């Protein structure tokens, strides 16, 4: 948030109070970012520790994603009558329990159960946190406030994951999940201290939240995310293998390239939020075209380390789409704010499944490692096509506040 943004929020809450709320919410995003991306980076370690091969251990990652997709709508609907600050603390408590149990998992099958449990509150937390962030700033700064929570996730990717990996490689993979559990408890304390104590709306109910599913614009917005975001994941999932097989770099270089991706995502989040606060939903269309163009450069850049790092940075910039879609869902959900906001992360994790699946099919068909980029271009343009339908059919819809 800029100083001007916070100053504009002063009539509602003090500048410092707004900052403290956003920091508290972003801490939860940081914890989620660490567990989601660090689990991928230590996969060989916990595979060996649990006595399974790497492909089998990959199902642990899928179990977490499945928990996100399932948990977001269920928890959002069940918690409809509770104050948002209670929900945030409850979601982080469940997240903490799931990660601590993951650290203690005695077998592979228990690990699957505990990672699924850990994923359940992921989308619901981000959805409710976005609503709280948007409610404490003026309407025209909502997206930048929402992007602050997602910035916590990107900072977790850039800074948290390497630090946790160093600790885990020194003391064992279980420390990754134990540390995330501690971060979740810290988030609970910060939310309890600083989150606004606004009561739940008296008319809120699970049935009213389910009303979001009757709105065509909600489904179209979710479709933009589920398809359009898949382009980025199609490349990201196979980036390490492409760097080793095509670029010809060693394993010691990989963390730096992934850090560059994270920096691009961080800055893209800022740029996307700024654009959305100025031009609204049209920012989503621009980011999807940005992603398609960046992904098209990937095959040409893959053979040179410096070139591919530049393109990976641009691809990461497309991650700014998340906060734009989050705000759009607030605009089109009517009275069903909590469910619609939470579903954004179900769509995000659907993209996380679609992109790598289609990218893997292209590689298996013999088109080469860089063929994932063309899959990504297709998905980004597919998301743009859905965006056009949503934009053209929804231009006359009035903006609703949270």
């Amino acid at each position: 948030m800029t100083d001007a943004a916070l100053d504009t929020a002063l009539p509602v809450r003090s500048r410092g109070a707004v900052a403290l709320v956003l920091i508290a919410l972003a801490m939860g995003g940081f914890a989620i970012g660490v567990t989601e991306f660090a689990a991928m980076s230590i996969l060989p370690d916990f595979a060996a520790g649990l006595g399974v091969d790497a492909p089998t251990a990959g199902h642990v990652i899928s179990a977490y994603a499945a928990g996100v997709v399932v948990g977001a709508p269920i928890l959002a609907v069940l918690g409809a009558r509770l104050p948002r600050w209670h929900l945030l603390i409850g979601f982080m408590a469940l997240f903490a329990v799931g990660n601590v149990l993951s650290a203690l998992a005695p077998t592979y099958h228990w690990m699957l159960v505990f990672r699924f449990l850990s994923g359940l509150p992921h989308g619901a937390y981000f959805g409710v946190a976005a609503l709280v962030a948007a409610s404490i700033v003026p309407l025209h700064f909502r997206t930048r406030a929402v992007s602050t929570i997602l910035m916590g996730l990107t900072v977790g990717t850039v800074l948290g994951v390497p630090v946790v990996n160093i600790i885990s490689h020194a003391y064992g993979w279980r420390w990754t999940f134990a540390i995330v559990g501690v971060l979740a408890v810290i988030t609970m304390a910060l939310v309890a201290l600083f989150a606004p104590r606004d009561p739940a709306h008296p008319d809120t109910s699970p049935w009213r939240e389910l009303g979001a599913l009757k709105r065509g614009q909600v489904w179209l917005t979710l479709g933009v995310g589920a398809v359009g975001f898949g382009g980025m994941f199609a490349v990201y999932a196979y980036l390490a293998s492409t760097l080793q097989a095509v670029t010809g770099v060693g394993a010691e270089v990989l963390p730096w390239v992934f850090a560059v991706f994270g920096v691009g995502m961080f800055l893209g989040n800022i740029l996307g939020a700024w654009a959305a606060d100025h031009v609204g939903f049209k920012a989503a269309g621009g980011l999807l075209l940005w992603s398609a163009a960046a992904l098209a450069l990937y095959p040409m850049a893959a053979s040179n380390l410096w070139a591919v790092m530049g393109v990976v940075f641009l691809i990461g910039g497309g991650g700014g789409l998340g906060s734009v879609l989050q705000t759009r869902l607030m605009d089109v959900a009517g009275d069903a704010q909590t469910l619609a906001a939470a579903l954004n992360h179900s769509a995000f994790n659907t993209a996380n499944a679609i992109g790598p699946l289609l990218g893997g099919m292209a590689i298996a068909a013999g088109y080469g490692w860089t063929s994932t980029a063309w899959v990504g271009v297709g998905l980004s343009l597919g998301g743009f096509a859905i965006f056009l339908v949503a934009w053209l059919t929804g231009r006359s819809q009035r903006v609703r506040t949270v």
Side-chain angles (χ1 to χ4, degrees):
M1 295 288 290
T2 63
D3 288 346
L6 289 175
D7 287 339
T8 309
L10 285 174
V12 180
R13 285 179 174 84
S14 72
R15 178 181 174 184
V18 170
L20 288 172
V21 173
L22 295 178
I23 290 170
L25 300 177
M27 176 59 75
F30 180 83
I32 290 172
V34 171
T35 198
E36 187 170 25
F37 290 93
M40 300 179 193
S41 63
I42 63 165
L43 188 148
D45 299 330
F46 70 73
L50 297 173
V52 297
D53 58 27
T56 302
H59 296 159
V60 170
I61 309 300
S62 300
Y64 182 89
V68 178
V69 173
V70 172
I74 292 176
L75 293 180
V77 170
L78 291 179
R81 294 185 182 276
L82 296 175
R84 288 171 179 168
W85 70 284
H86 284 175
L87 289 175
L88 291 172
I89 293 174
F91 293 154
M92 271 293 119
L94 178 58
F95 183 72
V97 170
N99 278 280
V100 170
L101 289 175
S102 297
L104 301 173
T107 66
Y108 164 72
H109 291 99
W110 277 113
M111 187 66 161
L112 285 175
V113 173
F114 296 149
R115 294 315 292 157
F116 178 83
L117 178 66
S118 301
L120 288 174
H122 173 134
Y125 175 84
F126 273 120
V128 174
L131 294 175
V132 172
S135 71
I136 61 173
V137 298
L139 184 65
H140 55 291
F141 289 116
R142 289 179 309 154
T143 311
R144 271 174 274 186
V146 169
S147 73
T148 303
I149 292 90
L150 296 179
M151 267 185 224
L153 188 149
T154 58
V155 171
T157 305
V158 177
L159 299 179
V161 171
V163 171
V164 168
N165 271 305
I166 291 171
I167 295 172
S168 297
H169 290 148
Y171 300 104
W173 63 267
R174 296 180 185 274
W175 279 98
T176 294
F177 303 107
I179 291 170
V180 172
V182 172
L183 292 173
V185 173
I186 292 173
T187 301
M188 292 169 61
L190 291 175
V191 169
L193 286 172
F194 302 121
R197 298 293 200 271
D198 299 336
H201 193 283
D203 296 329
T204 300
S205 70
W207 293 114
R208 193 173 82 166
E209 289 298 329
L210 288 171
L213 303 181
K214 299 177 181 178
R215 300 175 181 269
Q217 284 295 321
V218 169
W219 285 108
L220 286 170
T221 304
L222 294 173
V224 171
V227 176
F229 251 133
M232 182 180 73
F233 285 115
V235 166
Y236 186 88
Y238 302 100
L239 179 57
S241 298
T242 304
L243 289 168
Q244 292 179 312
V246 179
T247 315
V249 300
E252 70 281 358
V253 177
L254 301 184
W256 296 102
V257 182
F258 281 102
V260 167
F261 175 89
V263 172
M265 195 171 184
F266 179 84
L267 295 177
N269 193 38
I270 296 174
L271 176 63
W274 177 87
D277 281 335
H278 284 77
V279 301
F281 187 44
K282 288 184 286 186
L287 284 166
L288 287 164
L289 292 178
W290 169 295
S291 293
L295 289 162
L297 294 173
Y298 183 71
M300 294 179 282
S303 60
N304 180 275
L305 176 59
W306 294 107
V308 80
M309 287 179 74
V311 171
V312 164
F313 173 83
L314 295 176
I315 294 172
L321 182 64
S323 56
V324 179
L325 297 181
Q326 192 79 70
T327 306
R328 173 65 174 181
L329 285 168
M330 295 177 191
D331 292 342
V332 300
D335 295 330
Q337 292 285 318
T338 305
L339 176 59
L343 283 172
N344 188 41
H345 295 274
S346 290
F348 185 86
N349 278 270
T350 300
N352 195 7
I354 293 174
L357 173 64
L358 296 180
M361 291 172 64
I363 295 169
Y367 292 107
W369 289 106
T370 59
S371 64
T372 57
W374 300 116
V375 171
V377 170
L379 288 170
S380 294
L381 293 178
F384 182 75
I386 300 172
F387 157 78
L388 285 177
V389 175
W391 181 56
L392 292 172
T393 58
R395 282 183 295 176
S396 62
Q397 183 161 345
R398 296 178 62 186
V399 173
R400 294 176 180 266
T401 62
V402 295

